[in-house]
Amino acid sequence: MKKYSLYAFTLAVVMAGTACDPIWDNTKVPEAVKVQFADRYPTIKQADWDNENGNFEAEFKVNGLERTALFSPDGKLLSYTEEIDQRHLPNVILQQVQAQYANYRIDEAHRVQQNGNANYVVELEDNMDEVKLQFDAAGKLIEQQTNTAPATQQQASIIPTSLQNGSKNGLEAPVAQWELPDNLREVSGIAMLSDGLIACVQDEEGAIHLYDPEKKTIVEKIDFAGPGDYEGISIVEKDAYILRSDGSIYEITDFRNGKPAVKEHKTVLAGTQNTEGMAYDATNNRLLIACKGYDTKLGDKKGIYSFSLNDKKMHAEPTFQIPLAQDNLSTTSKKKKKSQYDVLQPSSFEVHPVTGELYLMDAVNSKLHVINDQGDILKTMPLDDNLLRQPEGLTFNQNGELYIASEGGKKGKGIIVKYTSGI
């Protein structure tokens, strides 16, 4: 009787939250799976769901690290995969990797629990070469996959003509680089202030960190909300606007006055859209929002949405759409694409202060695009993924000098890199 009551209570909680919680939006997840997921992971408020050969896979984060849970339709947990720090790999596995792949670096490590057993998956990188190794708990190598890019892709100085599309030189060599402190290892958005400080947000903390490039330190921290997946920041005069991955926008009025007022503006977007890019469009007094994810109602396109600063409302329909069939979106990435939408996954968005061009950065595909307000991609350049491991933040100073922030790795720190101009 007690077990039945607990099941009924969990089901009631799930059903009550279905209408407003983005965790289930635009997905057809069986109720038995919803109950088990809510019971096992009660603190998770956002997950991406996929139908995997009749089973249901949820991708989410815990403390900034990726998790994947695979359920059968009746709610049975089939496997659980968790991203781990390489330091938590068994010593016998670490020793093998270090001895046999000395020239490679560990990009990701995961522990996979299935049928009562634990296996480990280690992904290695060396320039354009990738190796994926799977070990059992005792350190026995179970499987090895190697993915070596064609020679033409290994020549970093050669840029395919199809990627240039009007840009002769692309980004020049960076003129400055800053290593960020540990609490900005997962830096996700940056904005340049008029006094030369850089306002930064990171994935998990509801706070604005003001970084001083000259002193190479954080000089002020401004709390505005609790933990959450914060992705973008825009500064409009004395006010700051923060974008959360579910599309909600935090308005922090006069954010540097010591006691800023904070207001949350709810999203009207689908949970699958996963908003990461936000740009201030001064001409139209609005914020433009780019989605890393997708909305199936748009077909083979991704939408750019707007939040009016006149009435503080987000428009439900896209301001314009980006067709995904454009030549510059044909991916050369070796990473597996789950769907047609993965060729464009914006991580940051900005308006050039001098030219007015719209800059769209894609961390997953390591590209920087210039687009117009009809959704046409005018210029594209590949980013240096050896320097920018995961480029998440983009901003300009008033002279049009470009700054890009990249997340750090398991041990490495986040960085900000400066270029004299855009593309």
Side-chain angles (χ1 to χ4, degrees):
M1 183 65 180
K2 183 180 295 185
K3 181 177 180 180
Y4 174 80
S5 299
L6 177 61
Y7 179 91
F9 173 76
T10 305
L11 179 60
V13 171
V14 170
M15 293 300 291
T18 298
C20 59
D21 196 332
I23 196 171
W24 311 117
D25 284 356
N26 288 347
T27 58
K28 296 181 179 179
V29 181
E31 295 304 326
V33 176
K34 291 183 179 182
V35 168
Q36 287 299 315
F37 185 87
D39 187 42
R40 289 175 178 272
Y41 316 109
T43 63
I44 302 302
K45 302 303 181 185
Q46 182 164 351
D48 293 327
W49 287 89
D50 280 316
N51 189 314
E52 296 289 342
N53 299 318
N55 296 316
F56 296 85
E57 181 183 78
E59 293 184 357
F60 53 98
K61 284 187 176 182
V62 176
N63 296 326
L65 297 178
E66 297 175 354
R67 301 287 188 266
T68 301
L70 183 66
F71 295 88
S72 64
D74 60 0
K76 179 182 179 181
L77 181 64
L78 302 177
S79 66
Y80 179 69
T81 302
E82 53 185 329
E83 182 183 4
I84 60 174
D85 190 293
Q86 65 184 46
R87 294 172 298 176
H88 298 151
L89 287 168
N91 286 334
V92 64
I93 294 177
L94 269 177
Q95 291 169 3
Q96 288 187 66
V97 171
Q98 293 168 353
Q100 299 177 29
Y101 297 92
N103 295 327
Y104 288 74
R105 67 179 181 86
I106 297 179
D107 183 45
E108 291 185 3
H110 295 85
R111 178 166 49 231
V112 183
Q113 300 179 50
Q114 186 175 14
N115 298 326
N117 299 315
N119 291 336
Y120 294 86
V121 176
V122 183
E123 297 181 17
L124 308 173
E125 285 188 354
D126 178 22
N127 293 325
M128 297 300 290
D129 294 341
E130 291 183 350
V131 176
K132 181 181 288 188
L133 307 174
Q134 183 173 355
F135 299 87
D136 65 16
K140 179 182 177 181
L141 182 61
I142 301 172
E143 184 179 0
Q144 174 179 328
Q145 299 177 12
T146 303
N147 192 347
T148 302
T152 54
Q153 293 183 8
Q154 293 177 348
Q155 301 176 39
S157 62
I158 298 177
I159 300 171
T161 304
S162 63
L163 290 179
Q164 294 183 21
N165 193 26
S167 178
K168 295 181 179 180
N169 301 313
L171 290 176
E172 299 176 355
V175 295
Q177 177 178 325
W178 298 270
E179 190 175 81
L180 298 174
D182 290 341
N183 54 350
L184 286 176
R185 183 177 69 87
E186 294 195 41
V187 59
S188 54
I190 58 175
M192 181 63 65
L193 304 184
S194 58
D195 59 1
L197 299 182
I198 303 175
C200 309
V201 293
Q202 61 115 321
D203 278 351
E204 300 176 353
E205 184 182 18
I208 301 172
H209 301 263
L210 301 186
Y211 181 77
D212 188 331
E214 292 188 2
K215 296 180 180 180
K216 299 181 180 179
T217 188
I218 294 173
V219 295
E220 188 176 357
K221 178 185 174 184
I222 303 163
D223 295 309
F224 64 86
D229 189 7
Y230 303 103
E231 296 290 349
I233 178 170
S234 293
I235 305 298
V236 182
E237 297 180 350
K238 294 183 179 182
D239 303 333
Y241 293 87
I242 311 296
L243 177 68
R244 201 168 61 190
S245 62
D246 63 359
S248 288
I249 294 175
Y250 284 82
E251 178 185 2
I252 302 99
T253 304
D254 199 5
F255 73 104
R256 298 183 69 177
N257 76 352
K259 295 182 180 180
V262 179
K263 183 176 181 179
E264 179 183 355
H265 301 280
K266 294 294 187 179
T267 182
V268 297
L269 305 179
T272 56
Q273 290 184 270
N274 190 12
T275 52
E276 290 204 4
M278 182 171 66
Y280 172 49
D281 175 12
T283 301
N284 297 290
N285 197 34
R286 64 187 180 182
L287 301 173
L288 295 174
I289 300 165
C291 302
K292 181 179 180 181
Y294 60 92
D295 183 349
T296 55
K297 295 194 298 291
L298 301 182
D300 190 22
K301 297 177 181 179
K302 284 196 175 181
I304 299 294
Y305 296 81
S306 64
F307 176 83
S308 172
L309 295 179
N310 295 323
D311 58 13
K312 303 297 174 66
K313 291 182 179 180
M314 185 185 297
H315 297 169
E317 298 299 322
T319 300
F320 62 91
Q321 300 177 35
I322 304 175
L324 300 180
Q326 301 183 59
D327 289 342
N328 284 11
L329 296 181
S330 57
T331 180
T332 57
S333 171
K334 303 188 298 296
K335 293 186 179 297
K336 179 183 177 182
K337 300 298 182 217
K338 291 186 176 180
S339 75
Q340 63 186 6
Y341 304 106
D342 290 350
V343 296
L344 178 64
Q345 300 183 63
S347 56
S348 192
F349 198 21
E350 193 57 85
V351 178
H352 195 290
V354 179
T355 67
E357 294 175 311
L358 299 174
Y359 274 67
L360 195 63
M361 188 165 67
D362 183 335
V364 175
N365 295 299
S366 294
K367 292 180 181 180
L368 184 61
H369 303 286
V370 173
I371 67 175
N372 61 21
D373 57 8
Q374 284 80 49
D376 302 316
I377 296 179
L378 306 178
K379 291 181 283 188
T380 295
M381 285 303 302
L383 296 171
D384 182 355
D385 53 9
N386 289 318
L387 174 64
L388 302 168
R389 178 185 179 274
Q390 189 171 334
E392 295 283 344
L394 169 71
T395 192
F396 294 93
N397 64 17
Q398 61 183 3
N399 299 320
E401 294 174 313
L402 171 65
Y403 295 74
I404 294 178
S406 178
E407 288 191 10
K410 302 295 185 297
K411 294 183 178 180
K413 295 179 179 293
I415 62 170
I416 294 178
V417 179
K418 177 184 177 181
Y419 300 87
T420 57
S421 64
I423 61 178

